[in-house]
Amino acid sequence: MRYHSSSVPTKTIHLELPSASYDITIGQDLLRTLHPRLQKLANGKPYRPFLITSPNIWKLWSEKVRTSFPEAQSPTVLFHPAGEKHKRFAAVESLLEQLAQHGADRDSLLIAFGG
């Protein structure tokens, strides 16, 4: 089993904006507790995690991300090239196609992981 549930000291800041409000969690080694925190965010409902990242970021952090999740609930990883030149509508269309191919639905959770 790869899931770690030990408590990591964190600080949470609640941010209120005119268009949205959300919490920002600050702490060390937060990737280790990613799955339990996402479960809390989903309010106990089943969800399917999808993670969008670049190959370089995934190479650096994949093991820490994967060890947070039970094997049966590992996120589906979708790759997007790094750099401003790739931030185009065509890239969004490609990501949407990948999400559809992998069975994303309204209960899926999309995580942008990287810069």
Side-chain angles (χ1 to χ4, degrees), residues 7-95:
S7 173
V8 174
T10 62
K11 181 176 183 173
T12 301
I13 299 169
H14 185 73
L15 185 61
E16 290 280 342
L17 300 172
S19 60
S21 66
Y22 52 90
D23 292 332
I24 300 169
T25 303
I26 302 168
Q28 294 182 354
D29 203 21
L30 290 176
L31 287 178
R32 187 167 49 96
T33 61
L34 181 59
H35 173 68
R37 289 184 294 112
L38 293 175
Q39 280 186 310
K40 185 178 177 182
L41 183 65
N43 292 320
K45 296 179 190 174
Y47 71 93
R48 187 144 175 237
F50 287 85
L51 196 138
I52 298 174
T53 191
S54 71
N56 292 341
I57 295 291
W58 190 241
K59 184 177 177 181
L60 292 171
W61 297 102
S62 62
E63 190 59 33
K64 285 193 180 250
V65 171
R66 288 195 188 278
T67 58
S68 172
F69 290 85
E71 281 191 46
Q73 290 183 294
S74 286
T76 299
V77 180
L78 307 175
F79 292 106
H80 180 74
E84 293 300 314
K85 68 181 181 178
H86 297 290
K87 295 179 181 174
R88 303 285 183 256
F89 283 115
V92 172
E93 183 178 11
S94 171
L95 289 171

